[in-house]
Amino acid sequence: MKTTRLTMSQALLRFLDNQYISVDGEETKFVTGVMGIFGHGNVTGIGEALERDAGSLVYTQGKSEQGMVHAAAAYAKQRGRKQIYACTSSIGPGALNMVTAAATATVNRIPVLLLPGDNFACRQPDPVLQQLEVPGDYTVSAADAFKPVSRYWDRIVRPEQLISAALQAMRVLTDPAETGAVTLALPQDVQAEAYDYPDDFFQKRIHILDRRPPASDAIRRAADLIKEKRRPIIIAGGGVHYAEATQQLAAFAAAFNIPVAETQAGKSALPWDHPLNMGAIGVTGSLSANLLAKEADLIIGIGTRYSDFTTSSKSAFNFENAAFVNLNVNAHDAVKLNALSLTCDAKEGLAALQNALAGCQYQSGYDDAELAKRKADWDSEVDRLYAVQAEDGLAQTRALGMINETLQPSDVIVCAAGSLPGDLHRLWRSSEPRTYHMEYGFSCMGYEVSGAFGAALAEPSREVYALVGDGSYLMLHSELVTSLQEGVKMTILLFDNHGFQCIHNLQRGHGSDGFGNEFRYRSKETGRLNGGYMPIDFAMHARSLGAKAYTARTEEELREALLQAREETVTTLVEIKVLPGTNTSGYESWWRVGVPEVSGSAKVAEAYREMADQIGNASQK
């Protein structure tokens, strides 16, 4: 057996450089490169290997460990999970900074490979700088914090362990059902230790993703159930995009005249103006989709994990009269809500189910005029909200309408947290698949700028826009600098409404007077944070980093700034001053949050009674 003597870090990079993925016969190099920030825990190990033995892997210098992992996840999401970046950090705080982003990737089923530095395996220099000591268990380190947020976790304490660990890592990274964050903790001494690795470990490996077909008996059972129902509704989730099943979804819905509602991850599966696209579902859903869901006798979930926002905390459906059929490649999701489950690839499952239903000449019981009216009613509501005028400033829905009208159909928008996801889910008109890039599985503040950078890396031929609130921008915007360093343009549309207004609205909606969520000075009179608003010049801040920047306070200024930003060749920020509280609210939906059972406030007591009534009406499934 031929071998090559390499350090563990050198061997890891050589292995990663030879991994490929094949979907429907199309072969793609799986690992594009490595994003990293160096410290003493990785600079002389994997850092040295990247400098001298990286092969074709590109090294990208992150500015925040959390931000670079968000960027890597967004890259993988935008590439349809067919290409990834690995991310390396030092030990201790550098490693722990990646944990939040690791959870974001895992919740959203996005593959990222994390390579945090770790304590010395030999334990001789212990405790080293930034080492977390656990007196009761010396095998525990900061890297153990990745265990609950990783789909696969391993610690390489001997260089030869890399062989089995790397193969297991690839198994999970390329699994459409079980993918997420994969963590290989790398002790800093082991990174530099050498081993005679077998040459076949470095041979080109093609990981073939065979589409999982549905079982024929499962298709028969599903068809038998569906043909008994007259008012079905389809809920399209992110799995429709990952299975590249958007055309199959359109054909299935049209064949049987079934209306479609989209989750945050599923949005853009159908064009907004498709006659059967009733818009968003759930807490942030459209009135048309939510009313159809309440009246449905069958819910066909395709590639959705049924979060509480999708189900309106399990109040969206008439559970006494409605049945569920779930098509999902992940068995854990397929069985939710006591559904008849089809554990399969969404594209394969839809095709097989369409054939079965066509054979029995199934048609839903909807009248075309009814569905057309539902569609027209919601389109009119979006038109109304897009045209809202406010005397004292720019309404958020009006700003979104102007942006939606100005952007091109192929442009990509990226968002994650605050009030914007609700408005975008309800109002944004997507014309092409994968132009709506929303991280709402974890709704992680700070994803937006980093995610836009990752999406722009993945799709350099498209214009990519980060839609972000001022609170989320302040939390994490450091990869703006990385975009400038890499010459990768993105446009940041920053909605400045003076604070965490989404949560401020949630407070007030449950009896609070509003506390601690606006960016105000501390008042000398009250001792609380209820003084004047803090005047933050975000455009000036962006310019100081090297970006282009504009400020828009009026419709005219916004329209001009959007046109100017499109012509820029470097990352550009448009600071949009919007009025607090001018976002959309619920349409026949409810979201369960904890409300105090005992309070000195009559408003809070009333909010608790309303919550208790809603809980009584919601399903316990």
Side-chain angles (χ1 to χ4, degrees):
M1 180 177 63
K2 291 184 178 180
T3 62
T4 301
R5 191 163 184 81
L6 297 169
T7 68
M8 189 275 291
S9 296
Q10 294 163 356
L12 173 58
L13 295 181
R14 187 171 296 189
F15 172 85
L16 293 177
D17 199 27
N18 284 288
Q19 304 306 301
Y20 291 76
I21 193 169
S22 177
V23 181
D24 295 336
E26 182 181 345
E27 185 180 303
T28 307
K29 191 175 190 298
F30 189 59
V31 185
T32 301
V34 179
M35 296 185 181
I37 296 177
F38 294 134
H40 68 283
N42 67 338
V43 70
T44 58
I46 198 167
E48 173 69 13
L50 281 164
E51 181 180 0
R52 309 197 186 277
D53 301 281
S56 66
L57 298 177
V58 177
Y59 174 69
T60 301
Q61 180 194 80
K63 305 301 175 292
S64 153
E65 289 90 354
Q66 179 180 334
M68 73 187 185
V69 179
H70 283 326
Y75 178 89
K77 177 181 175 73
Q78 200 64 34
R79 296 294 296 167
R81 304 192 299 196
K82 294 178 182 178
Q83 287 186 295
I84 69 166
Y85 270 86
C87 295
T88 179
S89 76
S90 189
I91 75 167
L96 289 175
N97 283 344
M98 297 197 294
V99 171
T100 299
T104 304
T106 292
V107 168
N108 287 283
R109 322 290 167 82
I110 306 297
V112 291
L113 175 59
L114 307 178
L115 306 172
D118 206 344
N119 302 343
F120 273 79
C122 69
R123 301 186 182 176
Q124 293 310 297
D126 295 355
V128 297
L129 179 65
Q130 298 178 330
Q131 179 173 333
L132 175 70
E133 291 186 283
V134 180
D137 186 348
Y138 214 72
T139 66
V140 173
S141 77
D144 286 82
F146 288 91
K147 287 181 176 179
V149 296
S150 298
R151 300 298 288 173
Y152 177 79
W153 185 97
D154 204 347
R155 176 179 282 123
I156 314 301
V157 297
R158 292 179 58 86
E160 62 266 36
Q161 291 178 351
L162 173 67
I163 298 172
S164 59
L167 293 173
Q168 291 299 319
M170 287 301 303
R171 172 185 62 81
V172 175
L173 289 167
T174 60
D175 188 326
E178 299 297 332
T179 195
V182 167
T183 301
L184 299 182
L186 308 180
Q188 51 192 302
D189 52 344
V190 179
Q191 289 180 43
E193 290 180 9
Y195 179 75
D196 294 319
Y197 288 94
D199 286 353
D200 62 4
F201 179 57
F202 307 116
Q203 290 179 355
K204 178 179 178 180
R205 276 186 172 83
I206 303 174
H207 303 267
I208 300 174
L209 270 65
D210 292 317
R211 293 186 180 273
R212 180 171 181 174
S216 57
D217 281 350
I219 288 292
R220 177 185 52 77
R221 291 192 296 270
D224 286 345
L225 175 60
I226 293 172
K227 67 186 182 183
E228 297 173 359
K229 304 298 183 179
R230 305 300 295 160
R231 298 185 64 84
I233 185 172
I234 293 169
I235 298 180
V240 174
H241 289 292
Y242 294 128
E244 299 177 338
T246 56
Q247 292 183 2
Q248 192 67 57
L249 170 65
F252 182 88
F256 310 114
N257 200 34
I258 303 176
V260 178
E262 297 173 320
T263 70
Q264 285 279 21
K267 192 174 172 74
S268 78
L270 290 182
W272 73 272
D273 55 356
H274 189 287
L276 290 171
N277 187 346
M278 299 296 155
I281 187 74
V283 175
T284 53
S286 75
L287 181 61
S288 296
N290 284 344
L291 288 175
L292 284 167
K294 288 181 183 296
E295 300 162 1
D297 57 8
L298 177 69
I299 293 87
I300 304 173
I302 305 171
T304 176
R305 66 189 189 96
Y306 288 112
S307 75
D308 63 338
F309 262 61
T310 299
T311 68
S312 291
S313 298
K314 297 184 179 178
S315 69
F317 315 111
N318 185 340
F319 282 93
E320 290 186 4
N321 299 318
F324 288 77
V325 172
N326 293 340
L327 282 75
N328 205 299
V329 73
N330 189 310
H332 173 72
D333 292 327
V335 301
K336 288 178 179 176
L337 301 179
N338 196 28
L340 190 160
S341 63
L342 293 172
T343 306
C344 60
D345 172 83
K347 191 174 185 178
E348 293 279 326
L350 280 171
L353 193 54
Q354 183 172 341
N355 287 336
L357 291 172
C360 61
Q361 298 182 325
Y362 173 75
Q363 278 289 298
S364 74
Y366 292 107
D367 180 76
D368 288 343
E370 176 194 357
L371 294 181
K373 185 178 187 307
R374 300 268 194 174
K375 173 72 174 169
D377 286 347
W378 183 248
D379 287 347
S380 296
E381 175 68 355
V382 175
D383 289 340
R384 182 189 71 81
L385 291 166
Y386 271 180
V388 165
Q389 299 288 333
E391 293 183 0
D392 48 350
L394 191 58
Q396 181 163 296
T397 61
R398 176 59 182 148
L400 285 175
M402 295 179 65
I403 295 166
N404 205 169
E405 293 161 6
T406 304
L407 268 57
Q408 299 299 310
S410 62
D411 294 343
V412 177
I413 65 165
V414 178
C415 192
S419 62
L420 284 169
D423 286 355
L424 290 168
H425 195 203
R426 292 187 182 101
L427 308 181
W428 192 259
R429 288 169 164 168
S430 300
S431 297
E432 297 182 11
R434 288 191 189 163
T435 54
Y436 184 87
H437 182 127
M438 181 68 68
E439 187 289 288
Y440 212 62
F442 219 42
S443 188
C444 185
M445 295 183 71
Y447 177 91
E448 296 92 340
V449 173
S450 304
F453 169 60
L457 270 180
E459 301 240 53
S461 63
R462 298 193 190 210
E463 290 286 323
V464 176
Y465 292 80
L467 276 69
V468 59
D470 51 332
S472 202
Y473 179 84
L474 287 172
M475 198 167 287
L476 184 60
H477 56 259
S478 53
E479 302 319 307
L480 184 160
V481 176
T482 309
S483 76
L484 295 168
Q485 182 181 32
E486 293 289 336
V488 175
K489 183 202 172 184
M490 59 181 175
T491 301
I492 301 166
L493 304 180
L494 190 155
F495 288 68
D496 181 10
N497 59 10
H498 303 296
F500 307 126
Q501 294 294 349
C502 176
I503 301 302
H504 189 62
N505 293 338
L506 183 66
Q507 275 184 313
R508 292 181 297 172
H510 290 81
S512 171
D513 295 322
F515 172 76
N517 278 306
E518 294 190 296
F519 296 157
R520 295 178 177 272
Y521 289 106
R522 187 171 298 280
S523 168
K524 293 182 180 179
E525 289 75 21
T526 66
R528 291 194 168 192
L529 296 174
N530 58 2
Y533 285 124
M534 299 181 68
I536 302 173
D537 192 333
F538 292 101
M540 181 180 291
H541 173 261
R543 290 189 197 102
S544 75
L545 298 176
K548 299 290 184 178
Y550 301 89
T551 300
R553 295 178 177 83
T554 66
E555 292 184 16
E556 293 74 17
E557 289 176 348
L558 177 56
R559 185 176 292 106
E560 181 63 23
L562 291 170
L563 296 175
Q564 291 289 336
R566 193 170 195 89
E567 297 301 316
E568 299 290 358
T569 58
V570 300
T571 289
T572 302
L573 182 142
V574 179
E575 178 184 12
I576 308 169
K577 302 294 187 181
V578 295
L579 295 171
T582 56
N583 54 289
T584 60
S585 57
Y587 288 86
E588 292 289 326
S589 64
W590 171 66
W591 185 37
R592 180 174 177 176
V593 295
V595 181
E597 187 172 356
V598 178
S599 173
S601 167
K603 292 189 296 183
V604 173
E606 176 59 26
Y608 175 79
R609 286 191 292 271
E610 291 176 0
M611 181 200 70
D613 290 342
Q614 287 281 12
I615 291 173
N617 294 329
S619 170
Q620 301 303 308
K621 290 186 179 182

